Amino acid sequence: MSRKYFGTDGVRGRVGEFPITPEFAMKLGYAAGKVLVAQDGLPQGERPAVLIGKDTRVSGYLLEAALEAGFSAAGVDVCLVGPLPTPGVAYLTRALRLQAGVVISASHNPYDDNGIKFFSASGSKLPDGVEQAIEAGIDGPMGCVESARLGRARRISDARGRYIEFCKSTFPNELNLRGLKLVVDCAHGAAYHVAPDVFHELGAEVRTIGAEPNGLNINAGVGATAPAALRQAVQDQGADLGIALDGDGDRLMMVGPDGALYDGDQLLHAIVAARVAQGQTVPGVVGTLMSNLALEHAMERLGIPFERAAVGDRYVVERLLERGWQLGGENSGHLLCLDKHSTGDGIIAALQVLAAIRQQGQGAAELLGALQLYPQVLINVPIVKGFAWQGHPAIEAARSSVEQALAGRGRVLLRASGTEPLLRVMVEGGDGVLVRQQAEFLAAAVAGALQG
């Protein structure tokens, strides 16, 4: 079942997910509200309460109102916080002891996408049983409780300040950011009025870009998925470091003073290496199928177990919880520090990197560039729906040939896209020329198998 109720322009639904319309958002709020009302644990006569936050997309106003109406009709109180990063909603849901949190956001997507995501009372994903109960109720009839039992709505006026203080609390008390000049790119998203203040209040000199949202410009040429603007700003302003977030503030990329871009694998390595150098025990680290092989080899050198989860930060969280570990992430910039927060948080991840720089007494380029990524070539091969590529003799023979050519110094990954009719062919290793040749060979073999 989908864990994000997601649509594009309220019309074009994505694979396995629901197209969002105001009617759907209201029904979703009502269905979720009915499930919450039916749960045990609240004192007699007390209504459950949820928190609704959003990013800066213009459609957020519409969906917020529809969700509020649906929850109220089901007898659920609503706390509104307006634009706030996704991890901020997760934090406040937990801090205010509410029954659930709701985020209206499409993360790093363009402004005309939007989505709705739920958090549990603990600030983590909803249990599967609760999700299934909500989804089962979406197509049911929508009613309304009697007037005396209607949910009420109120605005949490100090949500931004609460979240800023929470973020700052994850930075070591004995450290500060004085003397650092930072450029912070907020992607014209939910962190625009949060992230700059966090770093400034810890002592940094802060310059911002992507901090003037108008409802239509979120992620447009700025943010973690479009780092060219930040690279230019860092060099133009002579900054020590650049910090790029995405539209809902849960993804992080960094830029060094020379314009070098550091991805999630390199940032995760910096956090882990600094903790080891400080004498802390790191029982294990979780990456994904797309994590660079260089990260896995670096963990081996540090004597730290490394495991790969499926692509998606929620799969990383699940594996970390299964193992009882704390650190993990994706090369796309979703970083998990479960000793600091229950979910991925771009601001908190940046603070952990900055703490590592301070503790190690190194420059950003020296620490973040310590992990030299292996060349990685990804080729998307169009396939037809239902094509049985797994176990296909010609594809398996080609894969075996590539693995022999890499001779243990590289890695091959074949992965079907979750949203498009594509097979993603990825080859990585230390020899960039060999990697390119073998990726093209394998992609051609896949295309040939399809035609045959």
Side-chain angles (χ1 to χ4, degrees), residues 240-241 254-271 273 294-295 298 301 353 356-357 362-374:
D240 298 297
L241 199 62
M254 284 190 166
V255 171
D258 60 351
L261 178 67
Y262 301 106
D263 75 354
D265 287 342
Q266 293 167 299
L267 301 179
L268 178 58
H269 174 262
I271 294 171
L295 176 63
R301 290 192 294 272
V353 175
I357 292 172
Q362 296 176 293
E366 183 180 2
L367 181 64
L368 303 184
L371 181 67
Q372 294 295 314
L373 300 177
Y374 295 162

Side-chain angles (χ1 to χ4, degrees), residues 166-180:
F166 169 66
C167 290
K168 289 163 53 184
S169 75
T170 67
F171 191 76
N173 288 331
E174 68 275 13
L175 300 178
N176 62 68
L177 299 179
R178 285 193 285 272
L180 273 182

Side-chain angles (χ1 to χ4, degrees), residues 244-260:
L245 306 170
D246 67 341
D248 71 333
D250 65 356
R251 182 180 296 206
L252 171 70
M253 293 285 180
M254 284 190 166
V255 171
D258 60 351

Side-chain angles (χ1 to χ4, degrees), residues 183 185 187 209 219-235 242-245 252-256 259-263:
V183 179
D185 182 350
I209 64 173
N219 300 312
V222 288
T225 55
L230 179 62
R231 299 174 80 169
Q232 188 65 52
V234 167
Q235 293 180 290
I243 296 170
L245 306 170
L252 171 70
M253 293 285 180
M254 284 190 166
V255 171
L261 178 67
Y262 301 106
D263 75 354

Side-chain angles (χ1 to χ4, degrees), residues 6-12 14 20 57-59 106 109-115 215-219:
F6 202 96
T8 305
D9 276 345
V11 179
R12 302 185 302 278
R14 294 172 182 260
I20 289 180
R57 294 163 215 271
V58 65
S59 58
N109 287 23
Y111 83 92
D112 47 0
D113 285 4
N114 219 331
L216 308 178
N217 60 358
I218 188 170
N219 300 312

Side-chain angles (χ1 to χ4, degrees), residues 44 240 259 297 386:
Q44 183 67 30
D240 298 297
H297 288 171

